[in-house]
């Protein structure tokens, strides 16, 4: 097995950092200028998570290409960490938004528009759940759905998997502590209460740990991605998702499947692909082509159970809803994106490209006996610094390596490829072409050769 030479890695990172700094003086200056008025120097603090010491500054973007203010253009496999899975500014979405805001007018009015029912029906066709409600982010859709789950079950707790991510949802910032109990995730900013009061934790792919948690009888809802995607990709083992459904039913807990990232599996996400039967489904980010949106879908049975609580205030300030949610622009964008861009046919091409991407990386890793793995989830692939691939969040977190991340991000960036800064994820969109994947295969091979050669 190839062994990693850390001092070589340090030298290579230094070389790539220097090349990055030299090629991006305007981005560096813009970052410096932002320090005076922006918290962290950027519009949102996560944007500092960028290899090389300062982020690229966006000039323009189209399809799967991004150009920075220093005049470089990149093949974009990050796609806004899934927000731009439809590609940047897809034509059909742009036309629909222009019509909405230019011809018709009304960014936000607190009035329903006719597009919404079409979008709801299309989500039902794809994911199966009959009734939908809209938010501006997947985070909010998750938050509101957890409230409905607590309301209808009369139970207080949520079950979440160690190292899961569902947006900034307080209940989900948990890891499994050494004693098997719920612990606050490292770095958790100002939790309202200790998460062990709100949350029971289990390990993904470990039904026994799920059953131990559910057996307390106080879990309103199990929230999970059908494959973890925010701590590398952790695929479900055979029988895990079916077992999870069965345990939820047996112990009277609802099952919330968060498809925000796993939508990459196909037009109906993993829910359609694997025949899952969630009580609640959440998705956001990509379904409106990058215009803010989130949504939760619920079963008819759950809707009935909500209606059985007439005192719960769903139409004013009861804690479910938001002023700009369901606005006409989001709805027009979602209709166009689902109807014309992220179509069933587009997914076929995107998944084929991700398969080629995955095979290219695997051939390089096998050729040099590098102890990493690559996992594919439909149109998305990700390499992880562990072999065999981790089977749960805790294992996958342990496989993290900031130095390798920085090296690979900078190496690919300096050669015209954007990988997602949060992990080593690559996502295909309808405008990705085989030559883009071949470029990555070539550059990734060079990066590994220089590291292990
Ligand atoms: C699975 C999942 N759910 C929810 C979210 C939250 O999405 P947003 O940041 O748009 O609220 C994310 C964000 O990465 C996610 O990966």
């Amino acid at each position: 097995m190839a062994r990693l030479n850390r001092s070589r890695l340090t030298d290579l990172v230094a070389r790539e950092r220097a090349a990055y700094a030299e090629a991006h003086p305007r981005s560096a200056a813009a970052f410096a200028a932002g320090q005076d008025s922006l918290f962290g120097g950027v519009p949102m603090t996560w944007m500092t998570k960028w290899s090389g010491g300062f982020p690229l500054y966006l000039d323009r973007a189209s399809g799967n290409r991004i150009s920075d203010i220093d005049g470089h253009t990149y093949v974009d496999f990050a796609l806004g960490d899934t927000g731009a899975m439809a590609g940047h500014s897809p034509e059909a979405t742009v036309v629909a938004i222009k019509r909405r805001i230019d011809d018709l007018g009304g960014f936000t009015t607190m009035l329903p528009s006719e597009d919404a029912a079409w979008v709801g029906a299309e989500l039902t066709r794809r994911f199966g759940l009959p009734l939908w409600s809209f938010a501006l982010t997947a985070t909010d859709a998750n938050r509101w759905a957890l409230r409905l789950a607590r309301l209808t079950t009369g139970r207080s707790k949520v079950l979440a998997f160690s190292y899961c991510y569902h947006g900034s949802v307080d209940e989900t910032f948990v890891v499994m502590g050494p004693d098997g109990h719920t612990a606050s995730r490292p770095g958790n900013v100002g939790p309202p209460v200790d998460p062990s009061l709100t949350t029971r934790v289990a390990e993904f792919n470990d039904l026994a740990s799920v059953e131990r948690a559910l057996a307390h009888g106080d879990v309103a809802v199990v929230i999970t991605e059908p494959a973890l995607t925010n701590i590398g990709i952790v695929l479900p083992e055979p029988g895990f998702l079916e077992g999870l459904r069965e345990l939820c039913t047996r112990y009277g807990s609802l099952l919330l499947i968060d498809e925000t990232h796993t939508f990459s599996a196909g037009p109906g996400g993993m829910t359609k692909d694997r025949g899952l039967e969630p009580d609640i489904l959440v998705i956001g980010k990509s379904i409106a082509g990058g215009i803010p949106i989130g949504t939760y879908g619920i079963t008819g049975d759950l809707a009935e159970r909500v209606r059985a609580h007439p005192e719960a205030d769903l139409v004013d300030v009861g804690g479910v809803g938001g002023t700009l949610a369901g606005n006409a622009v989001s709805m027009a964008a979602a209709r166009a994106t689902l109807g014309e861009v992220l179509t069933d046919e587009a997914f076929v091409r995107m998944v084929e490209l991700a398969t080629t991407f995955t095979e290219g990386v695997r051939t390089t890793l096998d050729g040099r006996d590098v102890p990493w793995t690559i996992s594919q989830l439909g149109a998305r692939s990700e390499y992880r610094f562990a072999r065999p691939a981790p089977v749960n969040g805790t294992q996958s977190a342990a496989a993290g390596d900031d130095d390798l991340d920085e090296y690979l991000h900078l190496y690919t960036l300096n050669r015209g490829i954007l990988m997602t800064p949060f992990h080593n994820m690559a996502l295909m969109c309808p405008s990705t072409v085989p030559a883009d994947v071949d470029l990555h295969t070539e550059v990734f091979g060079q990066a590994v050769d220089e590291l292990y050669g």
Side-chain angles (χ1 to χ4, degrees):
M1 188 200 302
R3 286 178 66 83
L4 179 63
N5 178 337
R6 283 275 160 193
S7 82
R8 183 199 290 257
L9 175 59
T10 307
D11 292 347
L12 287 171
V13 168
R15 186 190 76 190
E16 294 302 319
R17 270 186 164 246
Y20 176 69
E22 194 180 343
H24 299 95
R26 281 190 67 184
S27 283
F31 185 55
Q35 301 300 322
D36 292 340
S37 61
L38 299 172
F39 184 38
V42 286
M44 194 274 288
T45 51
W46 291 6
M47 291 178 184
T48 53
K49 186 165 169 97
W50 193 269
S51 300
F54 58 90
L56 280 187
Y57 276 66
L58 172 69
D59 180 27
R60 52 192 62 216
S62 172
N64 75 332
R65 293 291 195 274
I66 281 198
S67 302
D68 67 21
I69 60 173
D70 285 289
H72 310 288
T73 297
Y74 303 89
V75 173
D76 185 10
F77 286 112
L79 295 170
D81 198 26
T82 305
M85 185 169 136
H88 298 292
S89 302
E91 192 183 341
T93 313
V94 171
V95 167
I97 297 168
K98 275 191 174 158
R99 176 170 179 274
R100 180 69 256 175
I101 65 181
D102 236 3
D103 304 350
L104 303 172
F107 300 151
T108 195
T109 57
M110 276 290 265
L111 294 174
S113 60
E114 287 178 325
D115 289 329
W118 187 94
V119 175
E122 174 65 7
L123 292 170
T124 299
R125 182 186 77 79
R126 290 175 182 238
F127 298 104
L129 291 99
L131 296 168
W132 297 85
S133 192
F134 293 91
L136 288 181
T137 62
T139 297
D140 269 347
N142 275 321
R143 284 193 186 126
W144 302 346
L146 295 190
R147 282 178 173 267
L148 295 184
R150 284 192 294 260
L151 173 80
T152 52
T153 58
R155 297 176 175 186
S156 65
K157 285 200 164 64
V158 166
L159 186 150
F161 289 101
S162 191
Y163 285 98
C164 67
Y165 185 74
H166 298 280
S168 48
V169 177
D170 292 317
E171 293 89 336
T172 59
F173 282 93
V174 292
V175 295
M176 186 169 279
D179 57 357
H181 290 110
T182 310
S184 193
R185 186 171 177 148
N188 192 355
V189 180
V193 292
D194 184 327
S196 65
L197 295 174
T198 60
T199 309
R200 294 198 180 277
V201 72
E203 287 289 9
F204 199 74
N205 278 325
D206 180 352
L207 289 173
S209 74
V210 173
E211 183 157 17
R212 270 196 304 279
L214 294 186
H216 291 273
D218 55 5
V219 171
V221 58
V222 174
I223 180 171
T224 189
E225 293 184 276
L228 302 183
T229 67
N230 285 289
I231 190 81
I233 292 178
V234 179
L235 296 169
E237 293 184 329
F240 175 68
L241 295 172
E242 295 77 3
L244 195 59
R245 173 67 270 179
E246 198 273 312
L247 285 174
C248 285
T249 305
R250 185 162 4 129
Y251 287 96
S253 303
L254 298 171
L255 177 62
L256 186 163
I257 294 285
D258 182 347
E259 289 270 17
T260 302
H261 280 178
T262 49
F263 185 31
S264 62
M270 285 180 76
T271 296
K272 178 83 166 189
D273 200 45
R274 307 277 181 111
L276 308 181
E277 293 180 346
D279 301 289
I280 307 172
L281 187 142
V282 164
I283 187 166
K285 293 201 185 188
S286 59
I287 59 168
I291 295 293
I293 196 164
T295 182
Y296 64 84
I298 56 174
T299 59
D301 176 56
L302 184 57
E304 277 312 308
R305 290 167 69 180
V306 174
R307 286 190 197 107
H309 288 267
E311 76 287 0
D313 183 359
L314 281 151
V315 295
D316 200 352
V317 288
V320 173
T323 313
L324 272 56
N327 70 74
V329 180
S330 294
M331 293 300 118
R335 181 173 186 164
T337 305
L338 292 173
E340 298 174 63
V341 188
L342 289 176
T343 57
D344 297 8
E345 303 75 51
F347 269 96
V348 173
R349 290 194 304 277
M350 287 153 63
V351 172
E352 272 172 17
L353 288 168
T355 303
T356 309
F357 182 103
T358 305
E359 281 163 3
V361 169
R362 198 169 280 143
T363 301
T364 296
L365 297 180
D366 290 351
R368 286 208 166 268
D369 200 14
V370 175
W372 305 348
T373 40
I374 177 150
S375 300
Q376 183 184 353
L377 188 61
R380 149 195 309 262
S381 298
E382 178 155 357
Y383 23 95
R384 199 83 189 140
F385 311 122
R387 194 177 70 193
V391 298
N392 63 43
T394 303
Q395 278 182 14
S396 198
D401 187 317
D402 291 345
D403 297 334
L404 282 175
D405 273 347
E406 177 157 32
Y407 171 60
L408 289 167
H409 288 152
L410 287 177
Y411 197 100
T412 47
L413 181 93
N414 287 336
R415 289 154 188 82
I417 296 169
L418 279 194
M419 298 289 286
T420 178
F422 296 104
H423 19 175
N424 294 294
M425 187 275 283
L427 181 63
M428 312 299 137
C429 73
S431 348
T432 311
V433 294
D436 301 330
V437 173
D438 293 345
L439 176 67
H440 176 270
T441 303
E442 188 189 329
V443 169
F444 180 77
Q446 289 163 3
V448 169
D449 281 350
E450 288 212 49
L451 190 58
Y452 283 101

